[in-house]
Amino acid sequence: MFFLHYFTKTKEVSTLRFSEKHISDDYGHVTIRAYHSSVQPGDRGYREHHHTECELSLFLAGNGVYAVGEQRYEFSAGDVFLFGSNEAHCITSVQSDLDLLNFQFEPRILWEHPENAELLSLFTARNKHYQHRIAQNDRSLNGILLSLEGEIEKKATGYAVQVKYLLFSALIHIMRQYDYIDTKRAVNAPSAATGSLSRAIHYINEHLDGRLTLKEIAEVACMTPTYFSAVFKKFNGVSPWEYITIKRVEKAVEMLKATELTKLEIAERCGFSSSSNFYKSFFQVTGKRPSDYVFAREPGKR
């Protein structure tokens, strides 16, 4: 079963995402994205939404309540939250106009180079002191995140390198300033494993429209299917099949917004074996129906 990130409404509460920017790898696959969410006051409920990225968020304005599993955090401007790709979190109440700066990043930018893999410990080797509200009014951390947004926004020379540097700096700051890591379980990623995983993920991303099998993906990584599944889940927080399903649905969402293909045609081009499988997976991942995105197309597109 997928773990969740959900963010929706029980009343008529306006939500607006704007100024979304992203960075892609050499193959055109998005690895880091930044965006604002502007939300008016109101109570909120759950809409399940699944993604493969980790998430680092800074509240620029507003206050309310963040639910993480059974835990509840009151938040206000200046608070920073951190979530792994497999963690359920939901803003359940917004008490004043909210402006949320959000960064989502694929775990592989942490482990694809072994010297950076230690940063994964924030997600895989947490101790009893860890809390998802990482910091409150930590000016140094907030400054790093605002600089990160500025780099993505301006896209000056060398910005892609600087964005990674600032993201890593934010995670290192958290590791050094807060007692959240069980050092006995800290991640140490061998270069052979990370190189194999990178090849496998690239293979998956390039073949989402085909009938992928665990055996063929594991062969790309030069691993047995069982070992590959274990390593993939350890470093990415989701299983290979969860990753494949989420990426296929994300691809379908973009096609629903940008093309006039029918839902069945899109399902086939995104690798779904049947329309029923497509609709079931689509709702599991987005909490919405494909028709919700069809209606959001530009005028003249159906």
Side-chain angles (χ1 to χ4, degrees), residues 154-217:
K154 295 176 183 177
K155 294 188 176 182
T157 302
Y159 83 98
V161 176
Q162 185 70 356
V163 164
K164 283 190 177 182
Y165 166 78
L166 289 168
L167 177 59
F168 292 171
S169 294
L171 298 178
I172 290 170
H173 177 91
I174 294 167
M175 294 178 73
R176 289 181 174 179
Q177 298 300 317
Y178 303 95
D179 179 19
Y180 289 148
I181 305 299
D182 180 352
T183 56
K184 294 180 180 179
R185 297 190 296 119
V187 173
N188 180 19
S191 57
T194 58
S196 297
L197 281 178
S198 290
R199 290 196 303 273
I201 286 180
H202 173 60
Y203 183 84
I204 290 171
N205 290 337
E206 292 297 309
H207 294 83
L208 290 172
D209 57 345
R211 295 187 180 278
L212 290 165
T213 67
L214 182 59
K215 183 176 182 295
E216 69 179 288
I217 301 169

Coordinates of all heavy atoms in Angstrom, one line a residue, residues 154-217:
K154 N 15.6 32.7 -10.7 CA 16.4 33.5 -11.6 C 17.1 32.8 -12.6 O 17.4 33.3 -13.7 CB 17.4 34.3 -10.7 CG 16.7 35.3 -9.7 CD 17.8 36.0 -8.9 CE 17.2 36.9 -7.8 NZ 18.2 37.5 -6.9
K155 N 17.5 31.5 -12.4 CA 18.2 30.7 -13.3 C 19.4 31.4 -13.9 O 19.7 31.4 -15.1 CB 17.2 30.3 -14.5 CG 16.1 29.3 -14.0 CD 15.3 28.8 -15.2 CE 14.3 27.8 -14.7 NZ 13.5 27.2 -15.8
A156 N 20.2 31.9 -13.0 CA 21.5 32.5 -13.4 C 22.5 31.4 -13.8 O 22.2 30.3 -13.5 CB 22.0 33.4 -12.3
T157 N 23.6 31.8 -14.3 CA 24.7 30.9 -14.7 C 25.0 30.0 -13.5 O 25.3 30.5 -12.4 CB 25.9 31.6 -15.1 OG1 25.6 32.5 -16.2 CG2 27.0 30.6 -15.5
G158 N 25.0 28.7 -13.7 CA 25.4 27.7 -12.7 C 24.3 27.4 -11.7 O 24.5 26.8 -10.6
Y159 N 23.0 27.9 -11.9 CA 22.0 27.8 -10.9 C 21.7 26.3 -10.5 O 21.3 26.1 -9.4 CB 20.7 28.5 -11.4 CG 19.8 27.7 -12.3 CD1 18.7 27.0 -11.8 CD2 20.1 27.6 -13.7 CE1 17.9 26.3 -12.6 CE2 19.3 26.9 -14.5 CZ 18.2 26.2 -14.0 OH 17.4 25.5 -14.8
A160 N 21.7 25.4 -11.5 CA 21.4 24.0 -11.2 C 22.3 23.4 -10.1 O 21.9 22.7 -9.2 CB 21.4 23.2 -12.5
V161 N 23.6 23.8 -10.3 CA 24.6 23.3 -9.3 C 24.3 24.0 -7.9 O 24.4 23.4 -6.9 CB 26.0 23.6 -9.7 CG1 27.1 23.3 -8.7 CG2 26.3 22.9 -11.0
Q162 N 24.1 25.3 -8.0 CA 23.8 26.1 -6.8 C 22.6 25.6 -6.0 O 22.5 25.6 -4.8 CB 23.7 27.6 -7.1 CG 23.6 28.5 -5.9 CD 24.9 28.6 -5.0 OE1 25.9 27.9 -5.3 NE2 24.9 29.4 -4.0
V163 N 21.5 25.2 -6.8 CA 20.3 24.7 -6.1 C 20.6 23.5 -5.3 O 20.2 23.3 -4.2 CB 19.2 24.5 -7.2 CG1 18.1 23.6 -6.6 CG2 18.7 25.8 -7.7
K164 N 21.3 22.5 -5.9 CA 21.7 21.3 -5.2 C 22.5 21.7 -4.0 O 22.3 21.1 -2.9 CB 22.4 20.3 -6.1 CG 21.5 19.6 -7.1 CD 22.3 18.5 -7.8 CE 21.4 17.7 -8.7 NZ 22.2 16.6 -9.3
Y165 N 23.5 22.6 -4.2 CA 24.3 23.0 -3.0 C 23.5 23.5 -1.9 O 23.7 23.1 -0.7 CB 25.3 24.0 -3.5 CG 26.0 24.7 -2.4 CD1 27.1 24.1 -1.7 CD2 25.7 26.0 -2.0 CE1 27.7 24.8 -0.6 CE2 26.3 26.7 -1.0 CZ 27.3 26.1 -0.3 OH 27.9 26.7 0.8
L166 N 22.5 24.4 -2.2 CA 21.7 25.0 -1.1 C 20.8 23.9 -0.5 O 20.6 24.0 0.7 CB 20.9 26.1 -1.7 CG 21.7 27.4 -2.1 CD1 20.9 28.4 -2.9 CD2 22.2 28.1 -0.8
L167 N 20.2 23.0 -1.3 CA 19.4 22.0 -0.7 C 20.2 21.1 0.2 O 19.8 20.8 1.3 CB 18.8 21.1 -1.9 CG 18.0 19.9 -1.4 CD1 16.8 20.4 -0.6 CD2 17.5 19.1 -2.6
F168 N 21.4 20.7 -0.2 CA 22.3 19.9 0.6 C 22.7 20.7 1.9 O 22.7 20.1 3.0 CB 23.5 19.5 -0.1 CG 23.3 18.5 -1.3 CD1 24.3 18.2 -2.1 CD2 22.1 17.9 -1.4 CE1 24.1 17.3 -3.2 CE2 21.8 17.0 -2.5 CZ 22.9 16.7 -3.3
S169 N 22.9 22.0 1.7 CA 23.2 22.8 2.9 C 22.1 22.9 3.9 O 22.4 22.8 5.1 CB 23.6 24.3 2.4 OG 24.7 24.3 1.6
A170 N 20.9 22.9 3.4 CA 19.7 22.9 4.3 C 19.6 21.6 5.1 O 19.4 21.6 6.3 CB 18.4 23.1 3.5
L171 N 19.8 20.5 4.4 CA 19.8 19.2 5.1 C 21.0 19.0 6.0 O 20.8 18.5 7.1 CB 19.8 18.1 4.0 CG 18.6 18.1 3.0 CD1 18.7 16.9 2.0 CD2 17.3 17.9 3.8
I172 N 22.1 19.5 5.6 CA 23.3 19.4 6.5 C 23.1 20.3 7.8 O 23.4 19.9 8.9 CB 24.6 19.8 5.8 CG1 25.0 18.8 4.8 CG2 25.7 20.0 6.8 CD1 26.1 19.2 3.8
H173 N 22.5 21.4 7.6 CA 22.2 22.3 8.7 C 21.2 21.6 9.7 O 21.5 21.6 10.9 CB 21.5 23.6 8.2 CG 21.1 24.5 9.3 ND1 21.9 25.5 9.8 CD2 19.9 24.6 10.0 CE1 21.2 26.2 10.8 NE2 20.0 25.6 10.9
I174 N 20.2 20.9 9.2 CA 19.3 20.2 10.0 C 20.0 19.1 10.8 O 19.8 18.9 12.0 CB 18.1 19.6 9.2 CG1 17.3 20.7 8.6 CG2 17.3 18.7 10.1 CD1 16.3 20.3 7.6
M175 N 20.9 18.3 10.1 CA 21.6 17.3 10.7 C 22.6 17.8 11.8 O 22.7 17.1 12.9 CB 22.4 16.5 9.7 CG 21.5 15.7 8.7 SD 22.5 14.9 7.4 CE 23.2 13.5 8.4
R176 N 23.2 18.9 11.6 CA 24.2 19.4 12.6 C 23.5 20.2 13.8 O 24.0 20.1 14.9 CB 25.1 20.4 11.9 CG 26.1 19.7 10.9 CD 27.0 20.7 10.3 NE 28.1 20.0 9.5 CZ 29.0 20.6 8.8 NH1 29.0 22.0 8.8 NH2 29.9 20.0 8.1
Q177 N 22.4 20.9 13.5 CA 21.8 21.7 14.5 C 20.8 21.0 15.4 O 20.5 21.5 16.5 CB 21.2 22.9 13.9 CG 22.2 23.8 13.2 CD 23.3 24.4 14.1 OE1 23.0 24.8 15.2 NE2 24.5 24.3 13.6
Y178 N 20.3 19.9 14.9 CA 19.2 19.2 15.6 C 19.6 17.7 15.8 O 20.1 17.1 14.9 CB 17.9 19.3 14.9 CG 17.5 20.8 14.6 CD1 17.8 21.4 13.5 CD2 16.9 21.5 15.6 CE1 17.5 22.8 13.3 CE2 16.5 22.8 15.4 CZ 16.9 23.5 14.2 OH 16.5 24.8 14.0
D179 N 19.3 17.2 17.0 CA 19.6 15.8 17.3 C 18.5 14.9 16.8 O 17.7 14.4 17.6 CB 19.8 15.7 18.8 CG 20.1 14.3 19.3 OD1 20.6 13.5 18.5 OD2 19.9 14.0 20.5
Y180 N 18.6 14.6 15.5 CA 17.6 13.8 14.9 C 18.1 12.4 14.3 O 17.2 11.6 13.8 CB 16.9 14.5 13.7 CG 16.0 15.7 14.2 CD1 15.9 16.8 13.4 CD2 15.3 15.7 15.4 CE1 15.1 17.9 13.8 CE2 14.5 16.7 15.8 CZ 14.4 17.8 15.0 OH 13.6 18.9 15.4
I181 N 19.4 12.2 14.3 CA 19.9 11.0 13.6 C 20.5 10.0 14.6 O 21.2 10.3 15.5 CB 21.1 11.5 12.7 CG1 20.6 12.6 11.7 CG2 21.6 10.3 11.9 CD1 19.4 12.1 10.8
D182 N 20.1 8.7 14.3 CA 20.7 7.6 15.0 C 22.0 7.3 14.3 O 21.9 6.6 13.2 CB 19.8 6.4 15.0 CG 20.3 5.2 15.8 OD1 21.5 5.2 16.1 OD2 19.6 4.2 16.0
T183 N 23.1 7.7 14.8 CA 24.4 7.5 14.1 C 24.7 6.1 13.8 O 25.5 5.8 12.9 CB 25.5 8.2 14.8 OG1 25.6 7.7 16.2 CG2 25.3 9.7 14.9
K184 N 24.2 5.2 14.6 CA 24.5 3.7 14.4 C 23.8 3.2 13.2 O 24.2 2.2 12.6 CB 24.1 2.9 15.6 CG 24.9 3.3 16.9 CD 24.4 2.4 18.1 CE 25.1 2.7 19.3 NZ 24.6 1.9 20.5
R185 N 22.8 3.9 12.7 CA 22.1 3.4 11.5 C 22.3 4.4 10.3 O 21.5 4.3 9.3 CB 20.6 3.3 11.8 CG 20.3 2.3 12.9 CD 18.8 2.0 13.0 NE 18.0 3.2 13.4 CZ 17.1 3.8 12.7 NH1 16.8 3.4 11.5 NH2 16.4 4.8 13.2
A186 N 23.2 5.3 10.4 CA 23.4 6.3 9.3 C 23.7 5.5 8.0 O 24.4 4.5 8.0 CB 24.6 7.2 9.7
V187 N 23.3 6.1 6.9 CA 23.4 5.5 5.6 C 24.8 5.6 5.1 O 25.4 6.6 5.1 CB 22.4 6.2 4.6 CG1 22.6 5.6 3.2 CG2 21.0 5.9 5.1
N188 N 25.2 4.5 4.5 CA 26.5 4.4 3.8 C 26.3 3.7 2.5 O 26.1 2.5 2.5 CB 27.6 3.7 4.6 CG 28.9 3.7 3.9 OD1 29.2 4.5 3.0 ND2 29.8 2.8 4.4
A189 N 26.2 4.4 1.4 CA 25.8 3.8 0.1 C 27.0 3.4 -0.7 O 27.7 4.3 -1.1 CB 24.8 4.7 -0.6
P190 N 27.2 2.2 -1.0 CA 28.3 1.8 -1.9 C 28.0 2.3 -3.3 O 26.9 2.3 -3.8 CB 28.3 0.3 -1.8 CG 26.9 -0.1 -1.5 CD 26.4 1.0 -0.6
S191 N 29.1 2.7 -4.0 CA 29.0 3.3 -5.3 C 28.4 2.3 -6.3 O 27.6 2.7 -7.2 CB 30.3 3.8 -5.8 OG 31.3 2.7 -5.8
A192 N 28.6 1.0 -6.2 CA 28.1 0.0 -7.1 C 26.6 0.0 -7.0 O 25.9 -0.1 -8.0 CB 28.7 -1.4 -6.8
A193 N 26.0 0.0 -5.8 CA 24.6 0.0 -5.6 C 23.9 1.2 -6.2 O 22.9 1.1 -6.9 CB 24.2 -0.2 -4.1
T194 N 24.5 2.4 -5.9 CA 23.8 3.6 -6.4 C 23.9 3.7 -7.9 O 23.0 4.2 -8.5 CB 24.5 4.9 -5.7 OG1 25.9 4.9 -6.0 CG2 24.3 4.8 -4.2
G195 N 25.0 3.3 -8.5 CA 25.1 3.3 -10.0 C 24.1 2.4 -10.6 O 23.5 2.8 -11.6
S196 N 23.9 1.2 -10.0 CA 22.9 0.3 -10.5 C 21.5 0.8 -10.4 O 20.7 0.7 -11.3 CB 23.0 -1.0 -9.8 OG 24.3 -1.6 -10.0
L197 N 21.2 1.5 -9.2 CA 19.9 2.0 -9.1 C 19.6 3.2 -10.0 O 18.5 3.3 -10.6 CB 19.7 2.5 -7.6 CG 19.4 1.5 -6.6 CD1 19.3 2.2 -5.2 CD2 18.1 0.7 -6.8
S198 N 20.6 4.0 -10.3 CA 20.4 5.1 -11.2 C 20.1 4.5 -12.6 O 19.2 5.1 -13.3 CB 21.7 5.9 -11.3 OG 21.9 6.6 -10.1
R199 N 20.8 3.5 -13.1 CA 20.5 2.9 -14.4 C 19.1 2.3 -14.4 O 18.3 2.5 -15.4 CB 21.5 1.8 -14.7 CG 22.9 2.2 -15.0 CD 23.7 1.1 -15.6 NE 23.8 -0.1 -14.8 CZ 24.7 -0.3 -13.8 NH1 25.6 0.6 -13.6 NH2 24.6 -1.5 -13.2
A200 N 18.7 1.7 -13.3 CA 17.3 1.1 -13.3 C 16.2 2.2 -13.3 O 15.2 2.0 -14.0 CB 17.2 0.3 -12.0
I201 N 16.4 3.3 -12.6 CA 15.4 4.4 -12.6 C 15.3 5.0 -14.0 O 14.2 5.3 -14.4 CB 15.7 5.4 -11.5 CG1 15.4 4.8 -10.1 CG2 15.0 6.7 -11.7 CD1 15.7 5.7 -8.9
H202 N 16.5 5.2 -14.6 CA 16.5 5.8 -15.9 C 15.7 4.8 -16.9 O 14.9 5.3 -17.7 CB 17.9 6.0 -16.4 CG 18.0 6.4 -17.9 ND1 17.3 7.6 -18.3 CD2 18.5 5.8 -18.9 CE1 17.6 7.7 -19.6 NE2 18.3 6.6 -20.0
Y203 N 16.0 3.6 -16.7 CA 15.3 2.6 -17.6 C 13.8 2.6 -17.4 O 13.0 2.6 -18.3 CB 15.8 1.2 -17.3 CG 15.2 0.1 -18.2 CD1 15.8 -0.2 -19.4 CD2 14.1 -0.7 -17.7 CE1 15.2 -1.2 -20.2 CE2 13.6 -1.7 -18.5 CZ 14.2 -1.9 -19.8 OH 13.6 -2.9 -20.6
I204 N 13.4 2.7 -16.1 CA 11.9 2.8 -15.8 C 11.3 4.0 -16.4 O 10.3 4.0 -17.1 CB 11.7 2.8 -14.3 CG1 12.0 1.4 -13.7 CG2 10.2 3.2 -14.0 CD1 12.0 1.4 -12.1
N205 N 12.0 5.2 -16.2 CA 11.4 6.4 -16.7 C 11.3 6.5 -18.2 O 10.4 7.1 -18.8 CB 12.3 7.6 -16.2 CG 12.2 7.8 -14.7 OD1 11.2 7.5 -14.1 ND2 13.2 8.5 -14.1
E206 N 12.2 5.8 -18.9 CA 12.2 5.7 -20.4 C 11.2 4.7 -20.9 O 11.0 4.7 -22.1 CB 13.6 5.5 -20.9 CG 14.6 6.6 -20.6 CD 14.1 7.9 -21.3 OE1 13.9 7.9 -22.5 OE2 14.0 9.0 -20.6
H207 N 10.7 3.8 -20.1 CA 9.9 2.7 -20.6 C 8.5 2.6 -19.9 O 7.9 1.6 -19.8 CB 10.6 1.4 -20.5 CG 11.8 1.2 -21.3 ND1 13.0 1.8 -21.0 CD2 12.0 0.7 -22.6 CE1 13.9 1.5 -21.9 NE2 13.3 0.9 -22.9
L208 N 8.0 3.8 -19.4 CA 6.8 3.8 -18.7 C 5.6 3.3 -19.6 O 4.6 2.9 -19.1 CB 6.5 5.2 -18.1 CG 7.4 5.6 -16.9 CD1 7.1 7.1 -16.6 CD2 7.2 4.7 -15.7
D209 N 5.7 3.5 -20.9 CA 4.7 3.2 -21.8 C 4.6 1.7 -22.1 O 3.7 1.2 -22.8 CB 4.8 4.0 -23.1 CG 6.1 3.8 -23.8 OD1 7.0 3.3 -23.1 OD2 6.2 4.2 -24.9
G210 N 5.6 0.9 -21.7 CA 5.7 -0.5 -22.0 C 5.3 -1.4 -20.8 O 4.9 -0.9 -19.8
R211 N 5.3 -2.7 -21.1 CA 5.0 -3.6 -20.0 C 6.2 -4.0 -19.2 O 6.8 -5.1 -19.5 CB 4.3 -4.9 -20.7 CG 3.0 -4.5 -21.4 CD 2.2 -5.8 -21.8 NE 1.0 -5.4 -22.5 CZ -0.1 -5.2 -21.9 NH1 -0.2 -5.2 -20.5 NH2 -1.2 -4.8 -22.5
L212 N 6.5 -3.2 -18.3 CA 7.7 -3.4 -17.5 C 7.5 -4.6 -16.5 O 6.4 -4.9 -16.0 CB 8.0 -2.2 -16.6 CG 8.5 -1.0 -17.3 CD1 8.4 0.3 -16.4 CD2 10.0 -1.2 -17.8
T213 N 8.6 -5.4 -16.3 CA 8.6 -6.5 -15.3 C 9.7 -6.2 -14.3 O 10.7 -5.6 -14.7 CB 8.7 -7.8 -16.0 OG1 10.1 -7.9 -16.5 CG2 7.7 -8.0 -17.1
L214 N 9.5 -6.7 -13.1 CA 10.5 -6.6 -12.1 C 11.8 -7.3 -12.5 O 12.9 -6.8 -12.3 CB 10.0 -7.2 -10.8 CG 11.0 -7.1 -9.6 CD1 11.3 -5.6 -9.3 CD2 10.3 -7.7 -8.4
K215 N 11.7 -8.4 -13.2 CA 12.8 -9.2 -13.6 C 13.7 -8.4 -14.6 O 14.9 -8.3 -14.4 CB 12.4 -10.5 -14.3 CG 13.5 -11.4 -14.7 CD 12.9 -12.7 -15.3 CE 14.1 -13.7 -15.7 NZ 14.9 -13.2 -16.8
E216 N 13.1 -7.8 -15.6 CA 13.9 -7.0 -16.6 C 14.5 -5.8 -15.9 O 15.7 -5.4 -16.3 CB 13.1 -6.6 -17.8 CG 12.0 -5.6 -17.5 CD 11.2 -5.2 -18.8 OE1 11.8 -4.6 -19.7 OE2 10.1 -5.6 -18.9
I217 N 13.8 -5.1 -15.0 CA 14.4 -4.0 -14.4 C 15.6 -4.4 -13.5 O 16.6 -3.7 -13.4 CB 13.3 -3.2 -13.5 CG1 12.2 -2.8 -14.4 CG2 14.0 -2.0 -12.8 CD1 11.0 -2.3 -13.6

